[in-house]
Amino acid sequence: MSRKHFYSDLPDHNFWSRAVSRVAPGDLNPVTDFPFKINPEDKVATAGSCFAQHIARHLKASGFTYFVTEPAHPLTDLVDGLAERMNYGTFSARFGNVYTTRQLVQLFDRAHGHFHPAEPDWQDKGGNWCDPFRPAIQPGGFATRAELIRDRDQHLAQVRYMFEELNIFVFTLGLTECWTSRADGAVFPLCPGVKAGHFDPGAYAFVNLGVDEVVTDLNGFLDRLARVNPKARVIFTVSPVPLAATAEDRHVMISTTVSKSILRVACDVIERAHDHVAYFPSYEIVTSAVNGPDYFAPDRRNVTEAGVNHAMRMFFAAATDRPTPAVPPAPATGATMDRLQTIVDVICDEEALDRPNPT
Amino acid sequence: MCMKKSLAADGPPDGVLIGIGNVNDHKDRIAAPGAGGVPGIVSALFEEVGLTHADLWVSRMGGSEQVAVGWVDGDRPFDFTLPGRDDLGLRGDAEILPFQLVHAVLARKVSGSLSHLRRIHADCPAPLIHLESPPPIADTSYAQDHLDVWFKQHGATPKVAPAALRLKLWLLQTRLARAICDDIGVRYIVSPPGVQDKRGFLTREFWSADATHGNIAYGRMCNRYLAEHAASLIGVPA
């Protein structure tokens, strides 16, 4: 006579042997329940770290409504690749990488006129102007301060419109480490002095957000979003891309584990607390021991096309009623590179942390 | 166009023969390497102006790129800041594009228009100079009423962009053309003195029935001005 216990009637996905060990690596699917579906007509906006660009790329190519409120001007059609080089369409608006939850909250507040950073612009040695909150958005910088101000006003208006009109917001959490202004707590996506600005320890402070801070940020963001768009639903993901560099005095791998763990725990707290919030496990799919070696490029940081495709197959299977759409493969980066190791081209400002200082 | 009319009316300036023409009008004569090449263009241009010899060649290639890019408002009217010309302001009713974006678009078009200049400069049998295109006119209503027929063919009711934007586009185009000429080694000749007002627009007496060109008087000014330059280029008294 067999004994019944708590685990006896649990579904297969509760058991590692049935849900992982005996599953073909490419079929691994940690999504067991997704709280809502994305319809083709839903306006889906994306933001976040560099991995969020993959979601944007697949949405664009899949027949869903990828909601871009700051599209490239038709003039850019006259030069191949110009719109992409100038970061139009990379995300739903031209905000560049939003690596931290604090940055997301401040983006919302800046767009709605509730936060006016004390440090609104930087100027480089060549006289060009830079937006400290999207330092890489304009290659070559803005030609004049007036241009930067007008461009930012236009941009923030489109961010506002995006939050008010979107149906689904997909945000990929990337980092907990960030640099802030000592004057007002404004968070920069990149340490001042790396791509623009000048590093001044008296003006900037390093902050490594903890679980409570990330949860507070996410709750604060959800409250704000609900006020302007009560029907909006939100999908959080955690980027599987490791930190390019850590400001903590420890190995970057340790910092990566800590940061990703904090973000993952915060997502769990938030997901359990809000019915209109879903968590999608792109982090788990890409970093698991099952596929990890194949899903990272030789630098063990960038995600291969195979890894992205696996995550996105599961995303569409969980979050939509459509079969997995066929997405054109990303361009190969080298003729001799194995297909599985093809790195998808994404804009990752953070990689600049690991480059030699310009002379 | 105005210069050809001026030449036809007045004959070439004393002491120098000037070959004038738009090479891009003779693209079919720009043969592939090994099939004639530049001499084909040269003879085409000689035929065009009725000359058999020229002591100085004047390039008037290009010039309309700024017109194509922004003279007429599209579905998304735009403006941009031109470094050094803050006085020209920005439209309040238009999308502001980054200077780098407009620069990239115009640079592509200008380099396309001047793509043959390097070959011609290398093979031209006489000194070659490039003359700046006519500045825009300031009167938007006049421009609206005297649009080139091309616009009427390509838009039902084209709306001419504000004068300040047209001037900025022209100024940027001239910077780009000058940079290409400097790179090739072709002397770039700015607009003759006296044809522009203080802000840089073409003065009223040189307006043409076609808003994007100068009139015969403007052509005469150019030809006289070129003759002065010819003196220093080929040693002929102006």
Side-chain angles (χ1 to χ4, degrees), chain A residues 71-76 78-79 82 86 88 94 138-141 143-144 147 150-151 154, chain B residues 69 76-78 81 83 86 90-92 94-101 104-105 108-109:
Chain A
H73 191 277
L75 267 189
T76 59
L78 297 175
V79 181
L82 181 61
M86 301 230 163
Y88 289 96
R94 207 163 164 242
Q138 183 56 55
T144 66
E147 178 183 300
R150 283 292 294 268
D151 187 89
Q154 289 178 167
Chain B
V69 165
R76 288 168 59 181
F78 74 91
T81 59
D86 293 346
L90 286 170
R91 305 166 72 174
E95 188 173 341
I96 306 306
L97 300 182
F99 167 75
Q100 298 287 2
L101 189 157
V105 170
R108 172 63 59 90
K109 293 194 77 69

Side-chain angles (χ1 to χ4, degrees), chain A residues 99 119 121-123 130-136 177-207 247 349-350 352-353 357-358:
Chain A
Y99 287 113
E119 200 165 345
D121 47 55
W122 291 335
Q123 191 173 25
C130 168
D131 187 339
F133 303 100
R134 39 185 194 140
E177 295 190 10
C178 56
W179 289 86
T180 68
S181 165
R182 292 186 190 276
D184 59 3
V187 170
F188 306 103
L190 206 54
C191 178
V194 174
K195 273 199 173 178
H198 304 282
F199 184 69
D200 176 1
Y204 308 116
F206 170 69
V207 170
D349 301 335
E350 193 199 357
L353 295 172
N357 288 330

Side-chain angles (χ1 to χ4, degrees), chain B residues 109-196:
Chain B
K109 293 194 77 69
V110 171
S111 73
S113 296
L114 300 185
S115 60
H116 302 300
L117 196 59
R118 188 182 297 275
R119 282 178 59 199
I120 292 171
H121 177 55
D123 296 345
C124 198
L128 175 68
I129 61 178
H130 181 82
L131 181 64
E132 196 163 82
S133 60
I137 65 174
D139 188 328
T140 302
S141 297
Y142 185 91
Q144 183 75 52
D145 294 340
H146 296 80
L147 267 179
D148 189 288
V149 67
W150 184 89
F151 288 106
K152 289 161 188 167
Q153 292 169 343
H154 289 80
T157 53
K159 180 176 176 292
V160 171
L165 172 59
R166 289 183 277 117
L167 180 58
K168 280 186 271 189
L169 288 166
W170 178 80
L171 288 167
L172 178 55
Q173 175 186 274
T174 61
R175 291 181 193 181
L176 292 162
R178 179 192 285 263
I180 290 173
C181 288
D182 288 349
D183 181 52
I184 295 173
V186 170
R187 184 180 290 194
Y188 182 88
I189 308 295
V190 298
S191 298
V195 303
Q196 291 171 278

Side-chain angles (χ1 to χ4, degrees), chain A residues 1 6 17 19 39 44 50 57 62 64-65 69 77 97 144 147 167 171 175-176 201 247 261 289 356:
Chain A
M1 180 178 168
F6 179 81
S17 63
N39 295 313
V44 184
C50 43
R57 178 168 61 90
S62 63
F64 285 84
T65 307
T69 58
D77 295 342
N97 293 125
T144 66
E147 178 183 300
N167 300 115
F171 183 71
L175 301 176
T176 56
S261 301

Side-chain angles (χ1 to χ4, degrees), chain A:
Chain A
M1 180 178 168
S2 64
R3 284 187 296 177
K4 293 282 284 183
H5 55 76
F6 179 81
Y7 293 91
S8 300
D9 297 323
L10 294 182
D12 286 350
H13 64 245
N14 282 57
F15 298 90
W16 190 270
S17 63
R18 297 176 225 169
V20 180
S21 305
R22 293 179 212 155
V23 172
D27 294 333
L28 179 68
N29 186 5
V31 185
T32 56
D33 182 33
F34 207 78
F36 51 80
K37 296 289 184 187
I38 301 173
N39 295 313
E41 63 273 17
D42 282 334
K43 288 178 275 193
V44 184
T46 66
S49 75
C50 43
F51 193 78
Q53 294 167 43
H54 297 310
I55 296 173
R57 178 168 61 90
H58 280 251
L59 279 170
K60 274 189 277 191
S62 63
F64 285 84
T65 307
Y66 177 52
F67 190 38
V68 177
T69 58
E70 198 175 2
H73 191 277
L75 267 189
T76 59
D77 295 342
L78 297 175
V79 181
D80 286 346
L82 181 61
E84 290 77 13
R85 284 204 304 280
M86 301 230 163
N87 297 297
Y88 289 96
T90 306
F91 293 108
S92 289
R94 207 163 164 242
F95 32 61
N97 293 125
V98 181
Y99 287 113
T100 61
T101 53
R102 188 66 46 85
Q103 203 187 332
L104 174 64
V105 172
Q106 293 183 357
L107 172 65
F108 188 99
D109 286 348
R110 288 193 298 121
H112 289 82
H114 300 144
F115 181 43
H116 302 280
E119 200 165 345
D121 47 55
W122 291 335
Q123 191 173 25
D124 66 23
K125 288 178 184 172
N128 291 316
W129 294 83
C130 168
D131 187 339
F133 303 100
R134 39 185 194 140
I137 205 70
Q138 183 56 55
F142 293 97
T144 66
R145 188 165 187 271
E147 178 183 300
L148 165 59
I149 291 170
R150 283 292 294 268
D151 187 89
R152 183 164 51 210
D153 287 348
Q154 289 178 167
H155 162 64
L156 292 177
Q158 296 310 317
V159 172
R160 202 161 54 241
Y161 179 68
M162 177 194 81
F163 282 131
E164 289 167 357
E165 293 295 319
L166 60 83
N167 300 115
I168 309 278
F169 182 57
V170 184
F171 183 71
T172 301
L173 292 77
L175 301 176
T176 56
E177 295 190 10
C178 56
W179 289 86
T180 68
S181 165
R182 292 186 190 276
D184 59 3
V187 170
F188 306 103
L190 206 54
C191 178
V194 174
K195 273 199 173 178
H198 304 282
F199 184 69
D200 176 1
Y204 308 116
F206 170 69
V207 170
N208 198 353
L209 301 171
V211 172
D212 290 345
E213 292 167 296
V214 174
V215 168
T216 299
D217 285 343
L218 291 178
N219 275 323
F221 168 73
L222 292 172
D223 287 345
R224 287 165 169 82
L225 181 61
R227 280 201 291 272
V228 301
N229 188 348
K231 293 182 178 176
R233 289 162 293 169
V234 178
I235 300 171
F236 288 125
T237 68
V238 172
S239 168
V241 179
L243 275 63
T246 180
E248 297 278 5
D249 183 18
R250 63 189 177 196
H251 196 286
V252 66
M253 188 174 281
I254 303 297
S255 284
T256 294
T257 299
V258 172
S259 286
K260 300 298 179 182
S261 301
I262 288 169
L263 297 174
R264 183 64 192 89
V265 170
C267 284
D268 194 60
V269 172
I270 293 295
E271 182 197 18
R272 289 169 185 264
H274 300 276
D275 290 338
H276 70 298
V277 173
Y279 171 76
F280 177 74
S282 54
Y283 178 81
E284 286 84 343
I285 291 170
V286 173
T287 64
S288 80
V290 177
N291 287 302
D294 289 334
Y295 287 176
F296 282 99
D299 66 359
R300 315 315 297 166
R301 181 168 185 272
N302 282 293
V303 178
T304 63
E305 179 73 348
V308 173
N309 281 340
H310 188 161
M312 293 312 300
R313 266 193 295 121
M314 301 312 162
F315 179 84
F316 283 104
T320 75
D321 285 325
R322 281 190 170 187
T324 305
V327 175
T333 55
T336 59
M337 186 174 273
D338 184 275
R339 195 184 73 82
L340 284 178
Q341 293 181 334
T342 300
I343 305 169
V344 184
D345 188 21
V346 292
I347 297 157
C348 186
D349 301 335
E350 193 199 357
E351 289 179 348
L353 295 172
D354 194 24
R355 290 184 193 132
N357 288 330
T359 53

